[in-house]
Amino acid sequence: MRTFLAFSLTALAVLAQPLMATAADKKTLTVYTYESFVADWGPGPKVKEAFEKTCDCTLNFVAVADGVALLTRLKLEGASSEADVALGLDTNLIQEAKDTGLFAPHGIDTSAAKVPGGFKDDVFVPFDYGHFAVIYDSEAIKTPPTSLKDLVEGDPSQKIVIQDPRTSTPGLGLLLWVKSVYGDKAPEAWAKLKTRILTVTPGWSEAYGLFTKGEAPMVLSYVTSPAYHMMEEKTERYKAATFAEGHYIQIEVSGMLKATTNKALAEQFLAFTLSPQFQTIIPTTNWMMPAAATADPLPEAFGKLIQPSNTFLMSPEEVAKNRQAFIREWLSAMSMN
């Protein structure tokens, strides 16, 4: 999901405002999403430009810190939300999102979507996916962890930055990854792992920023993250650690709000997210795998990425049923001395 350069609040402010010159005579589609999506180097600017060429409308992005924070904002705003579309939830959150009653069936053809596990849904449309991974600095760590067990029980002097599962979809992904591997023993695993955790950030951008500044030699991110460094920085210094147990996957989705007054335009945008124009933007801006066909082949760097041998993904219903209990378990383990 994610862009790598410093986030520009100025650019976000520009994106968050309707174009004044056209606001009077064009419809505006408001899309709530997460911060890194609308950063100068993220997909947002290119998606805005491409979609506006097709819709005779203004695409207005409104960003919050991360995916879980996005769902929280929608819950707080309820039916009075100005959002027409929410982009950036993931499959871990969609049952909880449906239970709010705020979302409507998308009504579009999603046959172009091809994601691991064949995810299909009548409310949410997948737009990209990626396996979570521990990214490490190969100049600081010569022997990276080769399993989640290695990470949990490894040298506590080699720190990792992770994200908060209460606000961040990567943080929630790690929580579910640990739960998938350790089950009832997850509290004990967190109690050990916390000795390696430098800090817990609200979202992905802060965590990755600390990592690239050298504050810690490891960070929770995605298998696809090294492609950014290979393509933009011409270095293979930053690598993804392959874990023997397998990797938890994230499938990011978008959905239409029931209260939208721009239903046709919202459906047009959701269909656009599966188009080659949109999908071609994703790999080298959001640094995730496309959910549908791109106009061009994936860059060579993507062929050098690790390939997880096993994929973990809890059902949306299981996550919705247990998310708060898992978070309480995590908080309790992390607060233990």
Side-chain angles (χ1 to χ4, degrees):
M1 86 142 188
R2 314 291 170 180
T3 35
F4 289 80
L5 300 179
F7 182 65
S8 167
L9 292 177
T10 301
L12 174 58
V14 171
L15 281 170
Q17 297 297 322
L19 295 178
M20 296 178 64
T22 58
D25 54 1
K26 289 184 177 180
K27 286 188 175 182
T28 296
L29 185 74
T30 298
V31 176
Y32 281 16
T33 186
Y34 49 78
E35 285 181 347
S36 60
F37 194 91
V38 297
D40 289 352
W41 303 274
K46 292 182 178 179
V47 168
K48 176 180 171 66
E49 181 181 1
F51 183 64
E52 288 181 347
K53 288 179 180 176
T54 71
C55 69
D56 191 29
C57 72
T58 298
L59 181 57
N60 175 38
F61 283 120
V62 176
V64 297
D66 213 307
V68 181
L70 171 58
L71 179 57
T72 300
R73 175 163 175 170
L74 290 170
K75 286 181 175 179
L76 290 172
E77 294 181 349
S80 64
S81 176
E82 294 182 356
D84 297 302
V85 169
L87 181 151
L89 303 178
D90 67 13
T91 57
N92 295 320
L93 297 172
I94 62 173
Q95 186 58 51
E96 194 170 329
K98 288 179 181 178
D99 291 343
T100 65
L102 296 174
F103 286 88
H106 51 68
I108 68 168
D109 179 5
T110 61
S111 59
K114 308 292 181 188
V115 296
F119 172 79
K120 299 287 183 185
D121 192 79
D122 64 351
V123 175
F124 290 100
V125 180
F127 66 89
D128 69 16
Y129 70 92
H131 288 85
F132 293 114
V134 169
I135 304 299
Y136 67 97
D137 179 352
S138 63
E139 293 185 1
I141 292 183
K142 301 303 179 186
T143 308
T146 58
S147 65
L148 194 58
K149 185 174 185 294
D150 259 1
L151 179 70
V152 167
E153 299 180 0
D155 182 355
S157 69
Q158 294 180 334
K159 299 297 185 184
I160 184 171
V161 182
I162 67 169
Q163 300 85 20
D164 193 325
R166 295 169 296 178
T167 54
S168 161
T169 54
L172 178 59
L174 180 60
L175 183 75
L176 300 175
W177 191 0
V178 172
K179 195 69 182 178
S180 297
V181 172
Y182 282 92
D184 293 342
K185 299 296 184 183
E188 289 90 332
W190 279 113
K192 292 180 180 176
L193 181 58
K194 77 172 188 176
T195 64
R196 302 196 75 173
I197 297 173
L198 176 69
T199 189
V200 179
T201 62
W204 177 92
S205 297
E206 302 95 326
Y208 213 86
L210 290 172
F211 170 68
T212 54
K213 289 177 182 174
E215 296 293 328
M218 297 186 290
V219 65
L220 175 68
S221 190
Y222 296 84
V223 161
T224 44
S225 297
Y228 164 80
H229 299 287
M230 285 188 269
M231 294 183 64
E232 300 297 328
E233 299 175 345
K234 312 302 179 190
T235 178
E236 297 188 20
R237 172 178 174 177
Y238 302 105
K239 301 178 183 294
T242 302
F243 279 7
E245 303 96 337
H247 295 241
Y248 200 94
I249 193 173
Q250 179 179 52
I251 301 171
E252 295 195 294
V253 302
S254 54
M256 176 174 63
L257 276 295
K258 190 181 293 181
T260 179
T261 57
N262 291 311
K263 183 172 184 289
L265 193 54
E267 290 174 347
Q268 183 180 345
F269 179 76
L270 292 177
F272 178 74
T273 65
L274 292 177
S275 70
Q277 297 100 307
F278 181 98
Q279 290 294 316
T280 301
I281 294 169
I282 289 296
T284 55
T285 54
N286 219 31
W287 301 99
M288 294 282 276
M289 298 299 292
T294 56
D296 304 312
L298 287 175
E300 183 181 352
F302 281 75
K304 298 180 180 179
L305 302 175
I306 67 169
Q307 301 295 320
S309 58
N310 187 30
T311 293
F312 295 107
L313 181 64
M314 287 190 189
S315 71
E317 296 80 8
E318 184 177 5
V319 178
K321 180 180 178 182
N322 296 298
R323 184 166 76 96
Q324 293 305 324
F326 290 167
I327 287 174
R328 287 194 296 273
E329 190 177 82
W330 175 79
L331 285 169
S332 177
M334 294 292 284
S335 64
M336 292 173 62
N337 292 321

